[in-house]
Amino acid sequence: MIIKSQANPKFKLIKKLRNKKYRDKEGLFVIESRKLVEEAIKSHADIDFLFLREGISFEGNIPCLVFDDNCFNKLSELKSPDGYAAVIRKNKAEDLSSDRVLLLDHISDPGNMGTIIRSAEAFGFSDIILTKGCVDIYNEKCLRASMGSVFRVNIIELSLDEISNLKDNYRFLSSHMEGIDVRKYDSSNDSIVLAIGNEANGLSEDIRKLTDDFIKISMQGEIESLNAAIAASIMMNTLG
């Protein structure tokens, strides 16, 4: 059956899930594009249902809805949707289990957030802590930038007190222009939390106070700083 009415309950649900408030309430989020849908399936994400544009077919056991062109285009946030999308249940955050943990402090740009999550998977930082105030990881732009990594890493939001309690088991590292060159920093015998701060304002004072060692990326020319996602990727690759 092809759904042609915007009064359809599933149409209304998908529309609501574009709002963070409803994503939090329902524990669901939306992904778009064949690539992301395939990544979700391959990663065993908890897919509630697929929704496709009329003319697109899918073979499998996952519940699937089909919308006509008009309805699907109204549901999509892409300029050129390919007709594939899904509603997925949010991952359940797990306890930290890695000796390489990434702490993201008030990261505000969804593209940066998604890129950092993708790099974290690539460089072995399988646990990611978010401070309150970070951009929603289920934002459409963030999901696209993560290229499916959001399905495969453990992402948990912690309060400052909960983060402070990690000091018993982890050494905290933060980026600072006066820090130790990350290439010369030996963390091979330590379990570490690597903190990356807000794009415009850097690390909050609370996270700075928790820092054991400050590290930096040595640069040439007159460059004073790097994009947060690039800096995080370089540091994770070096420390991983």
Side-chain angles (χ1 to χ4, degrees):
M1 182 183 74
I2 298 174
I3 299 172
K4 301 180 179 181
S5 172
Q6 295 178 37
N8 180 274
K10 292 296 188 184
F11 181 96
K12 292 182 177 180
L13 171 64
I14 295 165
K15 272 292 192 184
K16 285 183 177 180
L17 292 177
R18 296 305 190 180
N19 185 307
K20 182 181 184 301
K21 178 177 75 173
Y22 286 100
R23 291 197 292 270
D24 291 343
K25 178 183 177 181
E26 302 293 337
L28 300 169
F29 63 98
V30 179
I31 61 170
E32 289 195 67
S33 82
R34 179 173 181 172
K35 172 65 175 174
L36 262 186
V37 169
E38 289 175 343
E39 288 290 337
I41 294 171
K42 183 173 68 175
S43 304
H44 305 290
D46 189 358
I47 300 174
D48 199 50
F49 62 89
L50 302 179
F51 63 99
L52 310 176
R53 184 171 57 203
E54 181 179 4
I56 300 292
S57 61
F58 173 80
E59 295 183 5
N61 298 321
I62 302 171
C64 185
L65 303 177
V66 179
F67 290 94
D68 68 7
D69 284 350
N70 182 55
C71 283
F72 190 91
N73 289 338
K74 288 187 179 299
L75 290 173
S76 177
E77 291 193 342
L78 301 180
K79 290 182 178 179
S80 301
D82 62 12
Y84 291 82
V87 170
I88 299 183
R89 296 201 172 277
K90 291 184 177 182
N91 294 340
K92 292 182 179 179
E94 301 175 358
D95 292 335
L96 303 180
S97 60
S98 170
D99 63 356
R100 292 292 181 269
V101 176
L102 184 65
L103 169 61
L104 301 180
D105 184 23
H106 289 81
I107 296 295
S108 61
D109 182 87
N112 280 339
M113 176 66 83
T115 300
I116 291 170
I117 292 171
R118 185 181 181 189
S119 294
E121 181 186 16
F123 300 130
F125 282 69
S126 56
D127 287 311
I128 301 176
I129 299 169
L130 308 179
T131 62
K132 295 184 185 301
C134 277
V135 67
D136 184 18
I137 62 170
Y138 300 108
N139 173 293
E140 175 65 30
K141 187 175 180 180
C142 176
L143 291 168
R144 290 200 303 271
S146 83
M147 294 293 287
S149 292
V150 72
F151 305 128
R152 297 185 290 269
V153 296
N154 179 44
I155 304 175
I156 183 169
E157 182 179 291
L158 298 180
S159 68
L160 181 61
D161 286 343
E162 290 170 322
I163 293 171
S164 298
N165 289 338
L166 298 176
K167 291 281 292 179
D168 291 339
N169 299 309
Y170 288 91
R171 191 164 189 83
F172 277 61
L173 308 180
S174 298
S175 175
H176 192 278
M177 291 180 65
E178 302 301 322
I180 304 167
D181 188 326
V182 67
R183 294 171 298 180
K184 298 177 181 178
Y185 188 86
D186 183 6
S187 63
S188 57
N189 295 320
D190 296 319
S191 294
I192 62 170
V193 170
L194 171 63
I196 303 295
N198 174 268
E199 294 89 342
N201 302 312
L203 290 167
S204 64
E205 188 59 30
D206 288 329
I207 298 302
R208 286 181 182 274
K209 290 178 180 178
L210 294 176
T211 299
D212 294 298
D213 292 309
F214 289 98
I215 54 178
K216 69 178 181 181
I217 300 169
S218 294
M219 296 176 286
Q220 300 181 30
E222 297 183 17
I223 302 299
E224 293 185 356
S225 64
L226 294 172
N227 168 275
I230 293 173
S233 299
I234 292 172
M235 287 188 170
M236 284 190 287
N237 184 35
T238 306
L239 296 167

PDB file of all heavy atoms in Angstrom, residues 21-42:
ATOM      1  N   LYS A  21      12.974  17.586  20.800  1.00  0.00           N
ATOM      2  CA  LYS A  21      12.088  17.302  21.932  1.00  0.00           C
ATOM      3  C   LYS A  21      11.356  15.984  21.732  1.00  0.00           C
ATOM      4  O   LYS A  21      11.252  15.173  22.668  1.00  0.00           O
ATOM      5  CB  LYS A  21      11.092  18.447  22.097  1.00  0.00           C
ATOM      6  CG  LYS A  21      10.086  18.235  23.229  1.00  0.00           C
ATOM      7  CD  LYS A  21       9.180  19.432  23.388  1.00  0.00           C
ATOM      8  CE  LYS A  21       8.148  19.485  22.270  1.00  0.00           C
ATOM      9  NZ  LYS A  21       7.145  20.571  22.502  1.00  0.00           N
ATOM     10  N   TYR A  22      10.886  15.730  20.514  1.00  0.00           N
ATOM     11  CA  TYR A  22      10.163  14.500  20.242  1.00  0.00           C
ATOM     12  C   TYR A  22      11.102  13.311  20.091  1.00  0.00           C
ATOM     13  O   TYR A  22      10.752  12.185  20.446  1.00  0.00           O
ATOM     14  CB  TYR A  22       9.277  14.666  18.999  1.00  0.00           C
ATOM     15  CG  TYR A  22       8.057  15.498  19.268  1.00  0.00           C
ATOM     16  CD1 TYR A  22       8.005  16.836  18.903  1.00  0.00           C
ATOM     17  CD2 TYR A  22       6.950  14.960  19.923  1.00  0.00           C
ATOM     18  CE1 TYR A  22       6.900  17.618  19.176  1.00  0.00           C
ATOM     19  CE2 TYR A  22       5.829  15.731  20.194  1.00  0.00           C
ATOM     20  CZ  TYR A  22       5.803  17.055  19.814  1.00  0.00           C
ATOM     21  OH  TYR A  22       4.711  17.825  20.094  1.00  0.00           O
ATOM     22  N   ARG A  23      12.313  13.566  19.580  1.00  0.00           N
ATOM     23  CA  ARG A  23      13.296  12.472  19.529  1.00  0.00           C
ATOM     24  C   ARG A  23      13.608  11.985  20.932  1.00  0.00           C
ATOM     25  O   ARG A  23      13.697  10.782  21.184  1.00  0.00           O
ATOM     26  CB  ARG A  23      14.580  12.939  18.831  1.00  0.00           C
ATOM     27  CG  ARG A  23      14.424  13.206  17.347  1.00  0.00           C
ATOM     28  CD  ARG A  23      15.759  13.264  16.639  1.00  0.00           C
ATOM     29  NE  ARG A  23      16.566  14.417  17.001  1.00  0.00           N
ATOM     30  CZ  ARG A  23      16.530  15.582  16.369  1.00  0.00           C
ATOM     31  NH1 ARG A  23      15.698  15.773  15.356  1.00  0.00           N
ATOM     32  NH2 ARG A  23      17.329  16.586  16.729  1.00  0.00           N
ATOM     33  N   ASP A  24      13.774  12.922  21.856  1.00  0.00           N
ATOM     34  CA  ASP A  24      14.051  12.549  23.243  1.00  0.00           C
ATOM     35  C   ASP A  24      12.853  11.838  23.873  1.00  0.00           C
ATOM     36  O   ASP A  24      13.016  10.853  24.612  1.00  0.00           O
ATOM     37  CB  ASP A  24      14.396  13.793  24.065  1.00  0.00           C
ATOM     38  CG  ASP A  24      15.735  14.401  23.673  1.00  0.00           C
ATOM     39  OD1 ASP A  24      16.537  13.706  23.012  1.00  0.00           O
ATOM     40  OD2 ASP A  24      15.978  15.577  24.018  1.00  0.00           O
ATOM     41  N   LYS A  25      11.671  12.332  23.599  1.00  0.00           N
ATOM     42  CA  LYS A  25      10.451  11.753  24.174  1.00  0.00           C
ATOM     43  C   LYS A  25      10.198  10.340  23.663  1.00  0.00           C
ATOM     44  O   LYS A  25       9.872   9.435  24.451  1.00  0.00           O
ATOM     45  CB  LYS A  25       9.252  12.652  23.851  1.00  0.00           C
ATOM     46  CG  LYS A  25       7.917  12.116  24.367  1.00  0.00           C
ATOM     47  CD  LYS A  25       6.770  13.029  23.955  1.00  0.00           C
ATOM     48  CE  LYS A  25       5.437  12.450  24.412  1.00  0.00           C
ATOM     49  NZ  LYS A  25       4.294  13.313  23.997  1.00  0.00           N
ATOM     50  N   GLU A  26      10.359  10.139  22.361  1.00  0.00           N
ATOM     51  CA  GLU A  26      10.037   8.850  21.750  1.00  0.00           C
ATOM     52  C   GLU A  26      11.209   7.876  21.726  1.00  0.00           C
ATOM     53  O   GLU A  26      11.009   6.675  21.528  1.00  0.00           O
ATOM     54  CB  GLU A  26       9.527   9.071  20.309  1.00  0.00           C
ATOM     55  CG  GLU A  26       8.305   9.957  20.189  1.00  0.00           C
ATOM     56  CD  GLU A  26       7.065   9.326  20.804  1.00  0.00           C
ATOM     57  OE1 GLU A  26       7.027   8.084  20.934  1.00  0.00           O
ATOM     58  OE2 GLU A  26       6.125  10.074  21.156  1.00  0.00           O
ATOM     59  N   GLY A  27      12.422   8.387  21.928  1.00  0.00           N
ATOM     60  CA  GLY A  27      13.592   7.514  21.840  1.00  0.00           C
ATOM     61  C   GLY A  27      13.851   7.041  20.429  1.00  0.00           C
ATOM     62  O   GLY A  27      14.437   5.969  20.212  1.00  0.00           O
ATOM     63  N   LEU A  28      13.447   7.839  19.457  1.00  0.00           N
ATOM     64  CA  LEU A  28      13.564   7.486  18.039  1.00  0.00           C
ATOM     65  C   LEU A  28      14.229   8.632  17.287  1.00  0.00           C
ATOM     66  O   LEU A  28      14.199   9.780  17.710  1.00  0.00           O
ATOM     67  CB  LEU A  28      12.179   7.233  17.434  1.00  0.00           C
ATOM     68  CG  LEU A  28      11.328   6.111  18.027  1.00  0.00           C
ATOM     69  CD1 LEU A  28       9.907   6.195  17.485  1.00  0.00           C
ATOM     70  CD2 LEU A  28      11.927   4.738  17.707  1.00  0.00           C
ATOM     71  N   PHE A  29      14.818   8.300  16.124  1.00  0.00           N
ATOM     72  CA  PHE A  29      15.356   9.336  15.249  1.00  0.00           C
ATOM     73  C   PHE A  29      15.256   8.869  13.803  1.00  0.00           C
ATOM     74  O   PHE A  29      15.000   7.695  13.524  1.00  0.00           O
ATOM     75  CB  PHE A  29      16.804   9.694  15.615  1.00  0.00           C
ATOM     76  CG  PHE A  29      17.801   8.568  15.460  1.00  0.00           C
ATOM     77  CD1 PHE A  29      18.597   8.469  14.334  1.00  0.00           C
ATOM     78  CD2 PHE A  29      17.962   7.626  16.471  1.00  0.00           C
ATOM     79  CE1 PHE A  29      19.523   7.442  14.192  1.00  0.00           C
ATOM     80  CE2 PHE A  29      18.894   6.592  16.351  1.00  0.00           C
ATOM     81  CZ  PHE A  29      19.671   6.507  15.218  1.00  0.00           C
ATOM     82  N   VAL A  30      15.467   9.803  12.877  1.00  0.00           N
ATOM     83  CA  VAL A  30      15.303   9.536  11.446  1.00  0.00           C
ATOM     84  C   VAL A  30      16.658   9.584  10.751  1.00  0.00           C
ATOM     85  O   VAL A  30      17.480  10.466  11.027  1.00  0.00           O
ATOM     86  CB  VAL A  30      14.362  10.579  10.802  1.00  0.00           C
ATOM     87  CG1 VAL A  30      14.207  10.331   9.299  1.00  0.00           C
ATOM     88  CG2 VAL A  30      12.993  10.556  11.482  1.00  0.00           C
ATOM     89  N   ILE A  31      16.898   8.635   9.862  1.00  0.00           N
ATOM     90  CA  ILE A  31      18.058   8.701   8.974  1.00  0.00           C
ATOM     91  C   ILE A  31      17.566   8.706   7.532  1.00  0.00           C
ATOM     92  O   ILE A  31      16.486   8.200   7.233  1.00  0.00           O
ATOM     93  CB  ILE A  31      19.043   7.534   9.182  1.00  0.00           C
ATOM     94  CG1 ILE A  31      18.377   6.185   8.888  1.00  0.00           C
ATOM     95  CG2 ILE A  31      19.626   7.565  10.584  1.00  0.00           C
ATOM     96  CD1 ILE A  31      19.349   5.014   8.835  1.00  0.00           C
ATOM     97  N   GLU A  32      18.373   9.294   6.659  1.00  0.00           N
ATOM     98  CA  GLU A  32      18.043   9.326   5.231  1.00  0.00           C
ATOM     99  C   GLU A  32      19.238   8.919   4.387  1.00  0.00           C
ATOM    100  O   GLU A  32      20.378   9.107   4.800  1.00  0.00           O
ATOM    101  CB  GLU A  32      17.613  10.735   4.812  1.00  0.00           C
ATOM    102  CG  GLU A  32      16.263  11.164   5.339  1.00  0.00           C
ATOM    103  CD  GLU A  32      15.767  12.403   4.593  1.00  0.00           C
ATOM    104  OE1 GLU A  32      15.468  12.304   3.388  1.00  0.00           O
ATOM    105  OE2 GLU A  32      15.705  13.471   5.232  1.00  0.00           O
ATOM    106  N   SER A  33      18.959   8.385   3.231  1.00  0.00           N
ATOM    107  CA  SER A  33      19.877   7.964   2.178  1.00  0.00           C
ATOM    108  C   SER A  33      20.096   6.457   2.225  1.00  0.00           C
ATOM    109  O   SER A  33      20.093   5.833   3.301  1.00  0.00           O
ATOM    110  CB  SER A  33      21.231   8.692   2.232  1.00  0.00           C
ATOM    111  OG  SER A  33      22.096   8.105   3.179  1.00  0.00           O
ATOM    112  N   ARG A  34      20.279   5.898   1.071  1.00  0.00           N
ATOM    113  CA  ARG A  34      20.514   4.449   0.971  1.00  0.00           C
ATOM    114  C   ARG A  34      21.768   4.053   1.736  1.00  0.00           C
ATOM    115  O   ARG A  34      21.798   3.016   2.404  1.00  0.00           O
ATOM    116  CB  ARG A  34      20.645   4.063  -0.511  1.00  0.00           C
ATOM    117  CG  ARG A  34      20.904   2.582  -0.716  1.00  0.00           C
ATOM    118  CD  ARG A  34      20.853   2.215  -2.182  1.00  0.00           C
ATOM    119  NE  ARG A  34      21.081   0.792  -2.371  1.00  0.00           N
ATOM    120  CZ  ARG A  34      20.949   0.153  -3.528  1.00  0.00           C
ATOM    121  NH1 ARG A  34      20.582   0.840  -4.607  1.00  0.00           N
ATOM    122  NH2 ARG A  34      21.181  -1.140  -3.613  1.00  0.00           N
ATOM    123  N   LYS A  35      22.816   4.893   1.652  1.00  0.00           N
ATOM    124  CA  LYS A  35      24.076   4.593   2.331  1.00  0.00           C
ATOM    125  C   LYS A  35      23.877   4.447   3.832  1.00  0.00           C
ATOM    126  O   LYS A  35      24.343   3.474   4.444  1.00  0.00           O
ATOM    127  CB  LYS A  35      25.096   5.689   2.025  1.00  0.00           C
ATOM    128  CG  LYS A  35      26.391   5.612   2.824  1.00  0.00           C
ATOM    129  CD  LYS A  35      27.194   4.374   2.513  1.00  0.00           C
ATOM    130  CE  LYS A  35      28.531   4.393   3.243  1.00  0.00           C
ATOM    131  NZ  LYS A  35      29.276   3.133   3.079  1.00  0.00           N
ATOM    132  N   LEU A  36      23.199   5.420   4.448  1.00  0.00           N
ATOM    133  CA  LEU A  36      22.999   5.367   5.901  1.00  0.00           C
ATOM    134  C   LEU A  36      22.087   4.213   6.299  1.00  0.00           C
ATOM    135  O   LEU A  36      22.303   3.563   7.327  1.00  0.00           O
ATOM    136  CB  LEU A  36      22.423   6.685   6.408  1.00  0.00           C
ATOM    137  CG  LEU A  36      23.402   7.694   7.006  1.00  0.00           C
ATOM    138  CD1 LEU A  36      22.646   8.883   7.595  1.00  0.00           C
ATOM    139  CD2 LEU A  36      24.279   7.063   8.078  1.00  0.00           C
ATOM    140  N   VAL A  37      21.060   3.956   5.501  1.00  0.00           N
ATOM    141  CA  VAL A  37      20.171   2.832   5.795  1.00  0.00           C
ATOM    142  C   VAL A  37      20.953   1.519   5.738  1.00  0.00           C
ATOM    143  O   VAL A  37      20.812   0.654   6.605  1.00  0.00           O
ATOM    144  CB  VAL A  37      18.973   2.812   4.823  1.00  0.00           C
ATOM    145  CG1 VAL A  37      18.195   1.507   4.954  1.00  0.00           C
ATOM    146  CG2 VAL A  37      18.052   3.996   5.095  1.00  0.00           C
ATOM    147  N   GLU A  38      21.805   1.370   4.730  1.00  0.00           N
ATOM    148  CA  GLU A  38      22.614   0.161   4.628  1.00  0.00           C
ATOM    149  C   GLU A  38      23.577   0.028   5.807  1.00  0.00           C
ATOM    150  O   GLU A  38      23.790  -1.063   6.325  1.00  0.00           O
ATOM    151  CB  GLU A  38      23.390   0.154   3.303  1.00  0.00           C
ATOM    152  CG  GLU A  38      22.502  -0.082   2.090  1.00  0.00           C
ATOM    153  CD  GLU A  38      23.263   0.024   0.782  1.00  0.00           C
ATOM    154  OE1 GLU A  38      24.391   0.589   0.789  1.00  0.00           O
ATOM    155  OE2 GLU A  38      22.727  -0.435  -0.252  1.00  0.00           O
ATOM    156  N   GLU A  39      24.161   1.164   6.240  1.00  0.00           N
ATOM    157  CA  GLU A  39      25.052   1.144   7.398  1.00  0.00           C
ATOM    158  C   GLU A  39      24.292   0.743   8.662  1.00  0.00           C
ATOM    159  O   GLU A  39      24.806   0.005   9.504  1.00  0.00           O
ATOM    160  CB  GLU A  39      25.697   2.518   7.602  1.00  0.00           C
ATOM    161  CG  GLU A  39      26.757   2.871   6.576  1.00  0.00           C
ATOM    162  CD  GLU A  39      28.031   2.036   6.730  1.00  0.00           C
ATOM    163  OE1 GLU A  39      28.281   1.526   7.829  1.00  0.00           O
ATOM    164  OE2 GLU A  39      28.757   1.893   5.738  1.00  0.00           O
ATOM    165  N   ALA A  40      23.073   1.242   8.802  1.00  0.00           N
ATOM    166  CA  ALA A  40      22.256   0.897   9.972  1.00  0.00           C
ATOM    167  C   ALA A  40      21.952  -0.597  10.004  1.00  0.00           C
ATOM    168  O   ALA A  40      22.045  -1.249  11.052  1.00  0.00           O
ATOM    169  CB  ALA A  40      20.966   1.705   9.956  1.00  0.00           C
ATOM    170  N   ILE A  41      21.607  -1.145   8.854  1.00  0.00           N
ATOM    171  CA  ILE A  41      21.307  -2.576   8.777  1.00  0.00           C
ATOM    172  C   ILE A  41      22.562  -3.395   9.070  1.00  0.00           C
ATOM    173  O   ILE A  41      22.539  -4.337   9.873  1.00  0.00           O
ATOM    174  CB  ILE A  41      20.734  -2.928   7.391  1.00  0.00           C
ATOM    175  CG1 ILE A  41      19.368  -2.254   7.198  1.00  0.00           C
ATOM    176  CG2 ILE A  41      20.608  -4.447   7.236  1.00  0.00           C
ATOM    177  CD1 ILE A  41      18.823  -2.352   5.783  1.00  0.00           C
ATOM    178  N   LYS A  42      23.674  -3.014   8.456  1.00  0.00           N
ATOM    179  CA  LYS A  42      24.937  -3.736   8.645  1.00  0.00           C
ATOM    180  C   LYS A  42      25.405  -3.663  10.089  1.00  0.00           C
ATOM    181  O   LYS A  42      26.017  -4.615  10.605  1.00  0.00           O
ATOM    182  CB  LYS A  42      26.001  -3.141   7.710  1.00  0.00           C
ATOM    183  CG  LYS A  42      27.342  -3.856   7.746  1.00  0.00           C
ATOM    184  CD  LYS A  42      28.281  -3.311   6.681  1.00  0.00           C
ATOM    185  CE  LYS A  42      28.706  -1.887   6.972  1.00  0.00           C
ATOM    186  NZ  LYS A  42      29.722  -1.388   6.004  1.00  0.00           N
TER     187      LYS A  42
END
